Amino acid sequence: MLTASLATLGSWLTYPSCLVLCLAVLLRAAPSLRAPDQRGLWLAVATAGAAMALDLPAVTHLVTGLAGTDHVVELTKNMIGVVSAGAVLYFLSAPSGSHPLRTGLCCTVGVILAAVLFLDLSAPPHLTHAITAAGGPAPSAAYWLTLIVTHAVANTVCVIVCCWYGLRTDDRPLAAALWLFATGTALAGLFWVGRLLLLTLGGTWAQPYLPLLISLHAVFRAAAVLIPTAVSARGALADARTVWRLWPLWRELADAVPQVVLTTRRTRLLELFWPPVPRHLLAYRKVIEIRDAMLELERYVPQGIAPLAQDHVRSLGPFRARADATVLACVVKAARHAKLAGHPRCQSPAESSIQGEPPPSLLTRHGQETTLAAEKTHLIELARAYVSAPVRSFAPGRSSRVPGHPEQR
């Protein structure tokens, strides 16, 4: 019962697993071909996907009709499999940087392909390539042993190397990709062990498990290849969330200091779905424009506004971690209103320093990191505070307590 269920599952996964692998190959084609150290991996997965596609009944029937014989399809599929095994080893040799090693691998793959072709052409007439308990191996046992040994060596080396580096790297996405690729390769290795048992011992009991093994191998390898895409997608979503949260503050400051915006202004949604700059630079650009606007607004901060903002925030109750951001948002709001009202500039920070007065600063954060990630976090807190009720109610010269505000309770 279990064997029949696994065989059914393997047959059902044949098409979806091949489709997933082929989609992964297409998605990673451009970035992998641009990176020399990734080309071998992409070629290994691409050729494995091609071999699996040729093994699908619908594809086999179509290609057979075009080629006029099933024999050519089978031979092509197995030769592509040899190229895939060689590409795996080529990829694993990349960290060594050894040109002779890579040249030797390419030559070895060429020799194996020539041997496979020779063993096929020199065998007795045959229409298909298969290992059956009744009729024996076709075209020959030597042909199948050559394929099995080639894949066994490549898969064993791949699993060992991937596990070795997976245990030693601190890069979590890289470790995940290595372990996923090692798992898929191990499943492919079990597939070829099953073929070996069928060839040497006539172990037909392993036959029902082979489709499931090769299908799972495709799923795990596709997942490994898509790790960089997943990391990029997560980064893009994080940047989109940052831009979305910074937008209200950016819009307010851009209205007051429009010269900081170097591109055509768009709506909030259009900015996210059709950004005017490369997508990975969108959040960075918003941070820079906000900082530039705040730098300009420093010249419009009214004298004595900071103590008023502090008193206002203190009157509404303890804000704890948000107190500094709320006070700063009040100061930024006052500077923005002064700029829009056409008030003259205040003294520059340098002039204020000469006269012994502390220069007003909207940017300096003492004792804190100045990395891009820290700056994003700081500005997101400022943007959240800027639209809060305490900041909206802040108006120097009159009481700005917010009746019923939860911070007062």
Side-chain angles (χ1 to χ4, degrees), residues 34-283:
R34 286 195 299 263
D37 58 336
Q38 294 293 317
R39 291 171 189 166
L41 176 62
W42 182 84
L43 179 62
V45 178
T47 48
M52 285 188 65
L54 288 175
D55 202 35
L56 298 176
V59 178
T60 301
H61 178 73
L62 176 63
V63 178
T64 299
L66 297 175
T69 173
D70 191 39
H71 170 262
V72 175
V73 178
E74 295 286 341
L75 177 61
T76 302
K77 176 184 67 178
N78 289 328
M79 294 183 74
I80 291 176
V82 171
V83 174
S84 178
V88 169
L89 296 179
Y90 188 88
F91 163 69
L92 296 176
S93 67
S96 68
S98 174
H99 182 71
L101 176 59
R102 291 188 169 190
T103 303
L105 285 173
C106 293
C107 293
T108 301
V109 171
V111 170
I112 294 173
L113 288 173
V116 168
L117 183 60
F118 172 78
L119 290 172
D120 177 75
L121 297 177
S122 62
H126 54 280
L127 295 178
T128 186
H129 293 203
I131 304 174
T132 59
S140 66
Y143 173 90
W144 282 105
L145 280 174
T146 302
L147 291 177
I148 291 171
V149 170
T150 299
H151 285 281
V153 171
N155 291 334
T156 302
V157 173
C158 179
V159 171
I160 292 173
V161 173
C162 287
C163 292
W164 174 271
Y165 284 105
L167 289 171
R168 286 159 178 77
T169 181
D170 295 327
D171 189 332
R172 294 180 61 183
L174 176 60
L178 289 171
W179 283 109
L180 287 170
F181 198 79
T183 302
T185 304
L187 291 169
L190 290 176
F191 170 86
W192 287 103
V193 168
R195 286 286 181 93
L196 179 62
L197 293 175
L198 189 62
L199 176 66
T200 56
L201 304 177
T204 55
W205 57 270
Q207 189 72 28
Y209 303 103
L210 299 186
L212 178 60
L213 289 172
I214 205 64
S215 296
L216 291 177
H217 135 270
V219 172
F220 277 97
R221 281 195 169 180
V225 172
L226 289 175
I227 286 290
T229 301
V231 172
S232 298
R234 185 178 64 179
L237 289 175
D239 284 347
R241 185 185 180 194
T242 297
V243 172
W244 183 267
R245 297 170 73 178
L246 290 177
W247 184 269
L249 176 63
W250 174 85
R251 182 187 58 201
E252 291 280 293
L253 299 185
D255 288 341
V257 193
Q259 65 268 25
V260 301
V261 182
L262 302 179
T263 57
T264 303
R265 294 185 60 175
R266 307 184 182 193
T267 63
R268 197 175 190 178
L269 287 176
L270 191 59
E271 190 87 2
L272 289 176
F273 290 104
W274 190 19
V277 295
R279 189 172 299 277
H280 66 281
L281 295 177
L282 183 58

Side-chain angles (χ1 to χ4, degrees), residues 309 312-313 319 322-331 381-382 385 388 390-391:
H312 169 71
V313 172
F319 279 72
R322 290 185 296 165
D324 291 343
T326 306
V327 171
L328 180 58
C330 290
V331 175
E381 288 292 328
L382 179 61
S388 65
V391 176

